[in-house]
Amino acid sequence: MYDHYTLTKEYTRSVSAFTLGRTCRLESSTKVEGGTTAAVPTAIQSDQQSVHATHCVVGGAHAFILRISSLFGLAPLRFESHSNGSTVSISVAMCVYSYILVTALVICTIFGLVAEINVGVELSVRMSSKTSQVVSACDVLVVVLTAGAGVYGAPRRMRHMLKFMESVASVDNSIGGQYSVVSERKLCVIILAILIFFSILVADDFTFYILQAKQLNREWEVVANYVGFYLLWYIVMILGLQFAFTALSVRARFSAVNDALALTARNVSIPLEKPKNASPLNIYAIRVTPVDAQRSANVSLLMDPMMTEHIVIIKRTANGEPRLIVTPCDAVRRLALLHGTLCDVVKRIDDSYALPLIVIVISTLLHLIVTPYFLIMEIIVSTNRVHFLVLQFLWCVIHMLRLLVVVEPGHYTIVEGKRTEGLICRLMTSAPSTGVLPSRLEIFSRQLLLQSVSYAPMGMCTLSRPLMASVLGAVTTYLVILIQFQRYDN
């Protein structure tokens, strides 16, 4: 815990260092209520010195999702365990492994699809008509396309991740980010529960079709034809979880900046929101280290190119209440810089995941058409395969979950952006008309007009809840068309 004397001393040292024009950063962590505060910036580097992150230390849920992604080729990283987490960096060997893995699975899946089509509708267990052949082919090909886009673009995304994690870490340091071990464990449990449920569904679905093929003495052919398809499904599922975790982590920083802005308003006697306990941040970046073997291992240069100073704005005090250690006018200026940094991070994430996100949205749309189609056809035919009906219903649930996993983080990010605009608007209305504060708020408001807090991959759509309504409307339309074609086929 930090007392008043320690806070004053740190602030004085930081201001003196800024006056000298050199910044350096020593990391320290303090246990707070079952969590750990983020590293406190106390050192300086020259503005002319350029720092490029090549590896970083991650822990908690972030390390968990990266290790799972690495197994399926979506994070070609090398992990080195340390006491405070794992150091990750791009690995050439893992890149080769990722490419070989996805290429082999794609080839296996394509050959299996061609083999099933050549068998004919009489012997196929998934294609009982010409229409279902087309629908099943689309089902398989969108999975192949999504997995390929995810794995082949993974090295580029991971390089971008190492760069924008530097900006995220600088924000954590500036606002005194607090990490909760309990929250990290809950997040790991949620990710693991989703993957376990998905694994059970995949195993059940695979077993069902094998038993159907056994009646035609084709069980081993079906295994060979579809094993690659089901393994690609894991890549598709983990790709969506990877983006969701990244987007939610950045959204947590927007929320922390907004909390700091509300605290700033209370310091000038303008209560905009009811005081609330700051929510802990997900562990997204513990430390980002530059390339320089000569530097001490405990020194980390967390300098963002847009940020020329890193002084703690909010610190946890002895009574557990956050406090401002700079003037409100200075706090607004720095919060504007932090907000701009996070907007740049959003843009980088949007660019990194642009193609995979578009493919995920399109594939989810197609799957939400294909799966209910098979479900409706089974009900119409009435072959009393209750197990098949249950499987198709659960697949519908999985596809809706995939859509939620991609859309909801984008929606929450937009909500935080709207919250920032509301806070600045009310602060401008209530603040005194004289002094430096109105000009700071005016600059912040203009910045909000020029920077977008949303994910719009390739500019084709915005990841928000209206997108879900559009997808469901399209699903309904195409289902009616497919059912009409099925009647004509019969």
Side-chain angles (χ1 to χ4, degrees), residues 400-411:
M400 284 299 301
L401 180 62
R402 287 178 57 215
L403 187 61
L404 286 171
V405 161
V406 171
V407 170
E408 285 299 295
H411 168 74

Side-chain angles (χ1 to χ4, degrees), residues 172-204:
D172 289 353
N173 286 316
S174 297
I175 59 179
Q178 179 190 4
Y179 305 118
S180 170
V181 176
V182 176
S183 297
E184 290 300 315
R185 289 175 179 172
K186 287 181 180 178
L187 194 56
C188 290
V189 169
I190 291 173
I191 295 173
L192 193 59
I194 292 174
L195 292 177
I196 290 175
F197 172 71
F198 180 71
S199 299
I200 294 173
L201 178 58
V202 166
D204 193 13

Side-chain angles (χ1 to χ4, degrees), residues 322-335:
R323 61 174 297 178
L324 219 58
I325 63 171
V326 294
T327 63
C329 293
D330 203 19
V332 169
R333 179 180 62 84
R334 298 179 194 181
L335 288 173

